[in-house]
Amino acid sequence: MSTREWLLTEQPASRRQARLGQSYRTWLAFRRNRLAMIGLGIVLALVAVALLAPFISPYNPIVGGDLRSERLLSPSWQHLLGTDDQARDILSRILHGSRITLLVVALVAVIATPIGLLVGTTAGYYGGWVDTVLMRLTDIFLAFPRLILALAFVAALGPGIENAIIAIAITSWPPYARLARAETLTIRNADHIDAIRLQGAHSARIIWGHVVPLCLSSVIVRVTLDMAGIILTAAGLGFLGLGAQPPQPEWGAMIAGGRRFILDHWWVATMPGLAIFVVSLGFNFLGDGLRDVLDPKAQK
């Protein structure tokens, strides 16, 4: 029996074989979506560029060249994307800026997702006054636009990439909480949950051991779709001078630095803008593909 046949068999011989077979079927369904594969390629390219930036960057992203002869050079073979007003190579700065973007996306996901899952599943499982208090708190956060609320938190915490990540994470969890609550309401009275409860399992074990795993796929899809918004929020904070501080090569700050030259030296602001556009598009494509294969309600 070949590996493919072993994975796709209708009668798995073990739990491990069943799990691997399900994962393989999910991958096959995902692979049929061409846009999702393009999105996956863009995200993997972002990760690879972020890891290899120190080795593939042609120039130092912080230290510029001769201001008299290398300032605001147009794209050429020597500087593929041109140079900025400090004679720094834009390609090198974009490559290193991908590390900041990936750091923001990863840390916001790691911080906001557990908070949203905890709030949503707790509210949905217990109901009553617990649900009312937690959901009204969620509604308060949702009442403000994400960027405006993030600006308020960063203004209170102070400018810097660390504070920007904290502010974005604080403003990102409410949609995950509402989604987790909706999923929990549909499964909290399921037969297998009642059976686990009758066996004497306490509420925390039921929530984290049985409810959260069932909500995880929907939340992962939402998190992936939100990555583009997280990138744009981080770029917006950088553009306003509240995110990564100079001379760090953050894409939003690069756009802010190049807006003064947009008419005569368009590449200074356009190139980091294109990087934000491509990466955001990749996460959107990836999220759509994950939604098709992980969310049964979205399957056609």
Side-chain angles (χ1 to χ4, degrees):
M1 180 183 293
S2 65
T3 303
R4 179 184 175 87
E5 293 174 345
W6 184 80
L7 290 171
L8 297 178
T9 181
E10 297 294 336
Q11 297 179 341
S14 64
R15 185 176 300 178
R16 173 175 171 271
Q17 183 180 359
R19 285 198 297 262
L20 292 175
Q22 181 60 39
S23 300
Y24 185 65
R25 290 186 180 90
T26 301
W27 165 249
L28 292 178
F30 180 85
R31 196 174 62 178
R32 287 194 291 268
N33 189 328
R34 293 184 179 180
L35 290 180
M37 292 300 294
I38 293 175
L40 178 61
I42 293 174
V43 173
L44 291 178
L46 172 67
V47 175
V49 167
L51 293 175
L52 299 176
F55 307 102
I56 63 177
S57 298
Y59 297 94
N60 189 309
I62 305 299
V63 180
D66 188 349
L67 293 177
R68 293 172 298 180
S69 60
E70 298 182 5
R71 181 176 181 268
L72 296 174
L73 294 179
S74 60
S76 63
W77 287 112
Q78 185 177 3
H79 298 280
L80 294 179
L81 300 183
T83 61
D84 62 8
D85 59 317
Q86 300 297 319
R88 296 172 297 196
D89 182 67
I90 294 177
L91 175 59
S92 299
R93 289 180 61 78
I94 289 178
L95 293 177
H96 282 266
S98 65
R99 312 187 87 184
I100 298 177
T101 299
L102 188 62
L103 177 67
V104 171
V105 166
L107 290 182
V108 169
V110 168
I111 297 172
T113 304
I115 296 175
L117 280 171
L118 175 63
V119 173
T121 53
T122 302
Y125 182 81
Y126 287 105
W129 68 268
V130 175
D131 183 26
T132 301
V133 171
L134 292 178
M135 285 301 101
R136 295 299 76 78
L137 177 64
T138 303
D139 290 339
I140 292 174
F141 277 87
L142 290 173
F144 297 92
R146 179 182 295 180
L147 180 58
I148 301 301
L149 194 57
L151 283 172
F153 281 115
V154 174
L157 297 172
I161 188 62
E162 297 85 0
N163 292 337
I165 291 173
I166 295 173
I168 297 172
I170 292 174
T171 60
S172 297
W173 65 265
Y176 313 149
R178 295 195 68 88
L179 180 59
R181 174 183 178 270
E183 294 284 342
T184 304
L185 289 175
T186 62
I187 61 178
R188 67 177 181 180
N189 294 321
D191 292 341
H192 68 282
I193 298 297
D194 289 336
I196 297 168
R197 192 180 295 116
L198 290 174
Q199 291 176 359
H202 52 80
S203 298
R205 180 178 179 182
I206 295 174
I207 291 174
W208 285 106
H210 302 278
V211 176
V212 168
L214 294 175
C215 302
L216 200 56
S217 61
S218 298
V219 173
I220 288 175
V221 171
R222 180 58 189 265
V223 171
T224 307
L225 289 171
D226 277 356
M227 291 302 178
I230 292 171
I231 293 172
L232 291 176
T233 302
L237 294 176
F239 183 86
L240 296 173
L242 297 175
Q245 298 300 296
Q248 287 183 301
E250 197 274 326
W251 292 346
M254 291 174 64
I255 296 176
R259 71 184 187 276
R260 296 173 296 163
F261 315 103
I262 191 65
L263 295 179
D264 298 324
H265 309 284
W266 54 268
W267 56 89
V268 181
T270 301
M271 298 307 180
L274 287 176
I276 294 174
F277 168 76
V278 171
V279 172
S280 300
L281 192 65
F283 275 111
N284 281 331
F285 285 163
L286 179 60
D288 286 338
L290 290 176
R291 180 179 56 190
D292 291 341
V293 299
L294 295 180
D295 188 358
K297 300 175 184 177
Q299 291 181 358
K300 299 181 178 65

